[in-house]
Amino acid sequence: MQIKTSHLILRPIQADDAAQVHGYAGDPDITMMMFLPNDTFEETKEFVERSVAEWKKDSPEYYEFVIEHDGKIIGGCNVGVHDGNKMSAEFPKCIFGDIGWILHKDFRGRGFATEAAAALKEFAFTKLHLPEIYAQCDSENKASFRVMQNIGMELIDDKGKRVSKSGRSGIEYTCRIKNFYPPELESERLVLRPLSISDMNAVYKWTGDPEVARFMLYSRYKSEADGLLWLSGLYSKDKWLDYGFVLKETGELVGSGGLYFHRAGDVTYTEDMWGIGYNFRRDQWGKGLASEAMKCILDYGRRTYGIKTVAGTFALDNIGSRRVMEKLGMTYWKDSEYTKFDGSETFKAKTYRKDFL
């Protein structure tokens, strides 16, 4: 198997990877705050052999990947699977996972760790179906902690003790994220599925279009990489249903949107309430796809969460969005306004709502 993202390939480690793996696993400058390094090539070779053997088990206890970029191994990452019922009281009494990553120093600072960690999170939640995953790092390892935050993990312990293989003592951070991936849905013309870090290129086709981004909360993406943090951090909140919209006819991802539980004070919401949002590639406008997608998501939300009321806000000049809400049976509720995330523009707006019987 392989996991492909926009810039990386994550694949199971192989026996002949040992020399390249030792290039980073045996470098103390890279591993000074980790439980590595492997002091000798023989140690690395033994680790690789154990990891290859683990992949061959019916139920591996861990999945070790190498990270490739442009055909070269630039790092490694893994998912461990644990049974909390067999562990000490500090761990949850259920099956859970932990993830980790390491990059060669020549490839740091390019977003590759976040991209790999996001792909690893997706694998753990959508393929292994783990209910939650953890990650740990030295408190001085700011880069690794930032990656954990980028993929939506929450700091749950900042007082752990950590001793690296080199003997360095420090404070250990533990972060956690729960599995909030929504199920796949289907309408007449669309497959609605969770978005993936591998969707970065497709997403840019609408987020990079100034006409699509004109009335959105986000400002126009200037490159595909602008979508990295957004895609990496998805599915870290309960009752926050983000979907990608895929045309059944062509298999193309042509838009995204969803159903979101807002607390009072979010955007235009003055009370706790469910809200909707959506955007499509411009060549798909005017085909009724937005209302079709949102009806499907709303039906799921009502069945699953018992939603009684839903609201949506559109800029006064965004006639297309108003029509989508009207097709969904939503009607005028109040005048409002909203500001783009970067503060660059504020729009006079209207908020529509629908109360379900």
Side-chain angles (χ1 to χ4, degrees), residues 48-166:
V48 171
E49 289 172 352
R50 290 195 306 272
S51 300
V52 170
E54 196 68 28
W55 271 102
K56 296 177 181 178
K57 294 181 180 179
D58 291 336
S59 299
E61 293 184 4
Y62 67 95
Y63 299 79
E64 188 73 31
F65 295 88
V66 293
I67 304 169
E68 290 187 347
H69 174 65
D70 289 342
K72 180 178 180 179
I73 295 176
I74 65 168
C77 58
N78 61 73
V79 180
V81 181
H82 307 279
D83 185 347
N85 293 300
K86 299 177 182 178
M87 302 183 74
S88 62
E90 64 185 290
F91 288 96
K93 301 299 183 181
C94 65
I95 301 296
F96 68 97
D98 67 71
I99 60 174
W101 50 86
I102 180 173
L103 277 186
H104 193 286
K105 58 189 174 186
D106 292 345
F107 293 89
R108 290 175 173 174
R110 298 167 64 176
F112 290 158
T114 293
E115 194 168 331
L120 211 58
K121 176 185 76 171
E122 184 178 333
F123 172 76
F125 284 153
T126 65
K127 302 302 182 184
L128 302 182
H129 305 291
L130 296 172
E132 56 188 11
I133 54 176
Y134 294 74
Q136 297 173 315
C137 71
D138 191 294
S139 62
E140 295 299 313
N141 192 344
K142 306 300 184 185
S144 193
F145 182 55
R146 188 162 55 248
V147 170
M148 296 177 197
Q149 293 176 309
N150 287 346
I151 66 171
M153 302 191 86
E154 175 189 13
L155 179 66
I156 61 169
D157 183 13
D158 61 358
K159 296 179 174 61
K161 294 182 179 180
R162 185 181 185 92
V163 180
S164 68
K165 189 175 178 181
S166 65

Side-chain angles (χ1 to χ4, degrees), residues 1-3 9-25 36 38 41 43-56 62-68 73 75-79 102 120:
M1 65 160 294
Q2 289 187 345
I3 302 173
I9 293 176
L10 279 60
R11 63 161 176 81
I13 197 167
Q14 300 172 359
D16 57 4
D17 294 331
Q20 291 189 73
V21 169
H22 192 64
Y24 54 83
L36 301 169
N38 292 333
F41 176 70
E43 282 186 275
T44 300
K45 186 177 178 182
E46 289 174 7
F47 162 75
V48 171
E49 289 172 352
R50 290 195 306 272
S51 300
V52 170
E54 196 68 28
W55 271 102
K56 296 177 181 178
Y62 67 95
Y63 299 79
E64 188 73 31
F65 295 88
V66 293
I67 304 169
E68 290 187 347
I73 295 176
C77 58
N78 61 73
V79 180
I102 180 173
L120 211 58

Side-chain angles (χ1 to χ4, degrees), residues 67 90 155 203 242 273 314 329:
I67 304 169
E90 64 185 290
L155 179 66
V203 166
D242 266 302
M273 185 177 290
F314 59 89

Side-chain angles (χ1 to χ4, degrees), residues 216-228:
M216 301 303 296
L217 284 166
Y218 64 83
S219 292
R220 182 180 72 85
Y221 287 10
K222 295 179 174 59
S223 70
E224 293 176 4
D226 287 346
L228 174 62

Side-chain angles (χ1 to χ4, degrees), residues 96-277:
F96 68 97
D98 67 71
I99 60 174
W101 50 86
I102 180 173
L103 277 186
H104 193 286
K105 58 189 174 186
D106 292 345
F107 293 89
R108 290 175 173 174
R110 298 167 64 176
F112 290 158
T114 293
E115 194 168 331
L120 211 58
K121 176 185 76 171
E122 184 178 333
F123 172 76
F125 284 153
T126 65
K127 302 302 182 184
L128 302 182
H129 305 291
L130 296 172
E132 56 188 11
I133 54 176
Y134 294 74
Q136 297 173 315
C137 71
D138 191 294
S139 62
E140 295 299 313
N141 192 344
K142 306 300 184 185
S144 193
F145 182 55
R146 188 162 55 248
V147 170
M148 296 177 197
Q149 293 176 309
N150 287 346
I151 66 171
M153 302 191 86
E154 175 189 13
L155 179 66
I156 61 169
D157 183 13
D158 61 358
K159 296 179 174 61
K161 294 182 179 180
R162 185 181 185 92
V163 180
S164 68
K165 189 175 178 181
S166 65
R168 181 185 183 279
S169 297
I171 302 298
E172 183 169 78
Y173 284 172
T174 298
C175 293
R176 177 183 65 191
I177 185 171
K178 295 184 178 181
N179 189 346
F180 293 126
Y181 275 76
E184 189 172 289
L185 305 174
E186 192 171 323
S187 66
E188 180 183 353
R189 293 175 291 173
L190 298 169
V191 172
L192 289 70
R193 62 159 175 81
L195 288 156
S196 166
I197 192 68
S198 62
D199 292 326
M200 204 182 307
N201 297 344
V203 166
Y204 182 63
K205 291 180 180 178
W206 66 84
T207 56
D209 184 334
E211 281 300 303
V212 177
R214 180 182 175 191
F215 298 116
M216 301 303 296
L217 284 166
Y218 64 83
S219 292
R220 182 180 72 85
Y221 287 10
K222 295 179 174 59
S223 70
E224 293 176 4
D226 287 346
L228 174 62
L229 290 182
W230 175 58
L231 289 169
S232 298
L234 289 177
Y235 311 115
S236 59
K237 295 171 65 175
D238 191 16
K239 299 181 180 179
W240 203 260
L241 310 177
D242 266 302
Y243 278 97
F245 305 143
V246 178
L247 290 175
K248 287 183 178 179
E249 185 177 2
T250 64
E252 293 176 278
L253 178 68
V254 295
S256 66
L259 181 62
Y260 315 100
F261 186 71
H262 291 277
R263 295 294 183 183
D266 289 351
V267 197
T268 61
Y269 294 88
T270 55
E271 58 188 272
D272 292 356
M273 185 177 290
W274 288 89
I276 59 172

